[in-house]
């Protein structure tokens, strides 16, 4: 025969289990809006049964564990998606800034300025003695040179801002690696039996999600509950240790290296950092380089013809003058024609110095001006296959296509992210309606267990006080 207190013990376990369930539910409700929080669930199991006489009786209920509701497969998909999103968002942001720099198509764009410049030479060829035409041409040329200077300056500033952003991204990566390594240690120390440190796991998962948007990573769980994180096949985090990154700035540009082993290879495969590095190189190699090429050829071709002409004076020796300030000879490797293109001071101060004629003392001759105007249709760029307009338009078209691709990729990947978030919310998110239902269930079960205690108490009272 079982003890009179056997039933009390079962009821007590019921009270304790339902109370634990209510505490877990309360924790869920309290963190319903906490970023990175995963819903928890008290897992109730039957306690062991015992034999009493010919019977095997249950001994109540126990809370086996508090389960963290999480889908590892969705987490891996989300991290991969974050890496792609970080990469394309960085490119979208920077290419958007480059588009704003060119301001095409608009009256303030270089395409319109070049058209006005060539039209000015065309008009001068028809009216070489007209001072108003000369002044207008000089103003248009000065506007074009200033426009090229400004685009170069803006692109250079964008490159510098990308380098600053890459440096901050590396710092952010290192901070998160440090935090993940520390959490690894805390998680390993906190694990006892089947009781997982759910809140610490949530913090680590959130950090890994954020890290995956900054740089492409591979996450490898270990048996001790820690995770190792790799980039390019090498560990960034190994247990409680981490190896940070560093951004090396030198004359050649910037390079991301291992902080503790700068000479060893490092492959960045995705994320914001990779996007910044790629778009920086694209701006330097394509847009800045092509702008320099356009400016240098423009200076060279216009000056070559202008030097062969004669201005409005009768001085036969007044020839050989440059229209633009000449390129240095030899041209240094780091010299930028786009940054330095400028109408010569001599022309700026006296438009009469414009050499429109092919012969001295021929004020009505505009043949040199016509030859310069015809440069508009000359294939003098890209291996003598493209005109100035075609060369510049190719750059703008390329920029538009690349920016459009970045916009489309961000839109598509963001849509995928939202779908993954919905699926993650279904697994790990806190539904207040569901939690309120759980709370009522635990509350009713708790009340019922309390009534069991009260009933047994009354029975014991009858046995002890009313039986003679």
């Amino acid at each position: 025969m079982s003890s009179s207190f056997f039933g009390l013990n079962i009821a007590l376990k019921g009270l304790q289990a339902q109370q634990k369930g209510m505490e877990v539910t309360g924790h869920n409700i309290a963190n319903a809006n906490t970023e990175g929080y995963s819903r928890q669930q008290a897992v109730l199991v039957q306690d062991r049964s015992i034999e009493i006489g010919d019977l095997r009786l249950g001994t109540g209920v126990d809370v086996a564990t508090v389960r963290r509701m999480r889908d590892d497969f969705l987490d891996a998909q989300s991290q991969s998606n974050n890496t792609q999103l970080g990469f394309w968002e960085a490119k979208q942001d920077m290419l958007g800034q480059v588009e704003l720099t060119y301001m095409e198509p608009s009256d303030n764009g270089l395409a319109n300025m070049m058209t006005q410049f060539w039209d000015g030479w065309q008009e001068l060829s028809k009216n070489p003695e007209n001072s108003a035409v000369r002044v207008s041409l000089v103003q248009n040329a000065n506007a074009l040179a200033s426009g090229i200077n400004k685009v170069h300056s803006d692109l250079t500033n964008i490159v510098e801002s990308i380098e600053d952003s890459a440096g901050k991204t590396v710092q952010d990566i290192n901070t998160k690696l440090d935090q993940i390594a520390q959490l690894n240690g805390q998680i390993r120390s906190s694990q006892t039996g089947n009781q997982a440190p759910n809140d610490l796991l949530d913090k680590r998962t959130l950090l890994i999600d954020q890290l995956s948007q900054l740089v492409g990573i591979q996450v490898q769980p270990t048996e001790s509950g820690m995770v190792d994180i790799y980039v390019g096949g090498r560990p960034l985090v190994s247990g409680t240790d981490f190896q940070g990154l560093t951004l090396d700035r030198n004359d050649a540009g910037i390079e991301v290296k291992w902080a503790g082993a700068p000479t060893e290879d490092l492959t960045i495969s995705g994320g914001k950092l990779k996007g910044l590095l790629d778009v920086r190189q694209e701006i330097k190699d394509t847009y800045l380089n092509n702008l320099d090429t356009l400016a240098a050829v423009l200076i060279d071709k216009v000056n070559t013809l202008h030097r062969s002409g004669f201005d409005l004076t009768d001085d036969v020796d007044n020839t050989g003058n440059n229209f633009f300030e000449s390129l240095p000879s030899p041209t240094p490797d780091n010299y930028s024609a786009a940054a330095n293109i400028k109408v010569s001071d001599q022309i700026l101060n006296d438009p009469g110095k414009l050499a429109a004629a092919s012969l001295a003392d021929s004020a009505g001759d505009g043949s040199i001006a016509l030859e310069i105007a015809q440069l508009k249709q000359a294939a003098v760029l890209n291996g003598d296959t493209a005109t100035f307009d075609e060369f510049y338009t190719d750059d703008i078209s390329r920029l538009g296509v690349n920016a459009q691709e970045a916009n489309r990729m961000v839109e598509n990947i963001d849509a995928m992210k939202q779908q993954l978030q919905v699926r993650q919310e279904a697994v790990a998110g806190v539904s207040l309606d569901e939690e309120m239902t759980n709370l009522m269930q635990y509350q009713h079960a708790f009340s019922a267990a309390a009534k069991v205690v009260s009933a047994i108490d009354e029975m014991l009272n009858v046995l002890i006080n009313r039986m003679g």
Side-chain angles (χ1 to χ4, degrees), residues 156-459:
T156 301
N157 289 337
I158 291 173
V159 169
E160 291 175 352
S161 73
I162 290 174
E163 293 175 354
D164 290 341
S165 180
K168 292 175 183 174
T169 302
V170 167
Q171 290 177 3
D172 199 7
I173 289 171
N174 289 339
T175 300
K176 287 179 168 49
L177 293 177
D178 185 16
Q179 292 173 332
I180 291 170
Q182 290 183 35
L183 282 169
N184 267 345
Q186 294 173 21
I187 289 169
R188 182 182 60 185
S189 302
S190 299
Q191 283 189 328
T192 55
N194 293 324
Q195 304 304 319
N198 294 329
D199 294 337
L200 292 176
L201 291 173
D202 281 344
K203 291 180 181 177
R204 188 178 67 185
T205 300
L206 179 61
L207 283 170
I208 292 174
D209 277 347
Q210 294 170 346
L211 179 66
S212 65
Q213 190 153 358
L214 301 178
V215 62
I217 56 174
Q218 299 84 45
V219 181
Q220 183 66 49
T222 67
E223 293 181 356
S224 62
M226 299 190 290
V227 294
D228 293 340
I229 296 177
Y230 297 84
V231 61
R234 292 192 53 174
L236 278 171
V237 174
S238 180
T240 58
D241 298 323
F242 80 96
Q243 182 172 196
L245 305 178
T246 184
L247 188 75
D248 183 30
R249 294 173 184 262
N250 50 51
D251 294 339
I254 60 173
E255 187 176 2
V256 180
K257 298 180 177 179
W258 294 104
T263 60
E264 297 185 14
D265 293 338
L266 170 62
T267 303
I268 304 294
S269 59
K272 178 181 178 180
L273 184 57
K274 175 66 173 173
L276 290 172
L277 295 176
D278 281 7
V279 76
R280 171 190 174 278
Q281 205 62 41
E282 181 180 336
I283 294 172
K284 284 179 66 72
D285 291 349
T286 302
Y287 306 115
L288 272 171
N289 187 56
N290 287 349
L291 190 66
D292 271 335
T293 299
L294 184 145
V297 174
L298 181 66
I299 294 170
D300 179 59
K301 296 298 181 184
V302 172
N303 280 354
T304 298
L305 288 173
H306 193 268
R307 284 197 299 268
S308 68
F310 293 84
D311 58 24
L312 286 177
T313 64
D314 296 333
D315 187 353
V316 295
D317 296 328
N318 201 359
T319 185
N321 297 322
N322 286 322
F323 180 80
F324 292 110
E325 296 289 345
S326 61
L327 296 169
S329 181
T331 305
D333 291 339
N334 59 352
Y335 181 81
S336 168
N340 293 283
I341 185 172
K342 179 180 182 295
V343 178
S344 70
D345 290 337
Q346 187 181 34
I347 301 293
L348 281 175
N349 295 331
D350 183 5
K353 297 294 184 182
L354 278 169
S358 59
L359 298 171
D361 198 16
S362 304
D365 178 18
S367 55
I368 292 298
L370 180 61
E371 287 188 47
I372 294 177
Q374 289 172 340
L375 285 174
K376 179 181 181 181
Q377 286 84 33
V380 294
L381 283 154
N382 203 20
D384 292 340
T385 61
T387 65
F388 286 100
D389 288 349
E390 290 169 344
F391 187 78
Y392 178 72
T393 302
D394 284 350
D395 249 16
I396 297 303
S397 299
R398 184 183 299 107
L399 172 60
V401 169
N402 291 343
Q404 193 174 33
E405 180 189 22
N407 291 336
R408 185 178 66 255
M409 292 300 294
V410 168
E411 186 176 338
N412 293 341
I413 297 170
D414 193 52
M416 177 63 75
K417 179 179 181 178
Q418 292 179 22
Q419 291 182 14
L420 288 171
Q421 285 177 334
V422 169
R423 294 173 64 186
Q424 281 181 323
E425 278 294 308
V427 176
V430 175
S431 166
L432 292 178
D433 291 339
E434 183 179 343
E435 297 303 325
M436 291 307 296
T437 301
N438 292 339
L439 187 63
M440 292 175 64
Q441 288 177 338
Y442 289 127
Q443 185 181 18
H444 289 158
F446 186 91
S447 298
K451 288 185 179 299
V452 171
V453 173
S454 178
I456 294 175
D457 180 60
E458 290 180 7
M459 290 169 57

Side-chain angles (χ1 to χ4, degrees), residues 104-132:
E104 297 292 0
S106 77
D107 290 343
N108 296 322
L110 292 183
N112 185 58
M113 292 181 183
M114 282 195 290
T115 297
Q116 292 179 342
F117 174 71
W118 299 124
D119 289 349
W121 283 107
Q122 187 73 37
E123 191 63 26
L124 183 65
S125 71
K126 300 174 185 175
N127 304 284
E129 296 176 285
N130 189 316
S131 60

Side-chain angles (χ1 to χ4, degrees), residues 34-106:
T34 301
E35 183 184 13
Y37 179 77
S38 302
R39 178 167 59 92
Q40 298 180 13
Q41 181 185 55
V43 180
L44 305 186
V45 296
Q46 292 178 325
D47 208 349
R48 64 184 177 84
S49 60
I50 60 173
E51 285 188 7
I52 300 177
D54 296 333
L55 301 176
R56 174 166 289 278
L57 300 178
T59 59
V61 66
D62 193 15
V63 179
T65 186
V66 177
R67 179 189 301 159
R68 175 175 175 259
M69 308 304 290
R70 202 78 194 181
D71 188 321
D72 293 338
F73 178 71
L74 286 178
D75 283 346
Q77 280 191 309
S78 177
Q79 289 155 15
S80 175
N81 196 73
N82 287 342
T83 299
Q84 296 181 54
L85 186 60
F87 174 82
W88 285 108
E89 280 185 337
K91 294 198 72 170
Q92 179 195 40
D93 183 22
M94 295 305 164
L95 289 178
Q97 293 187 37
V98 174
E99 282 190 308
L100 291 176
T101 294
Y102 279 102
M103 295 188 292
E104 297 292 0
S106 77

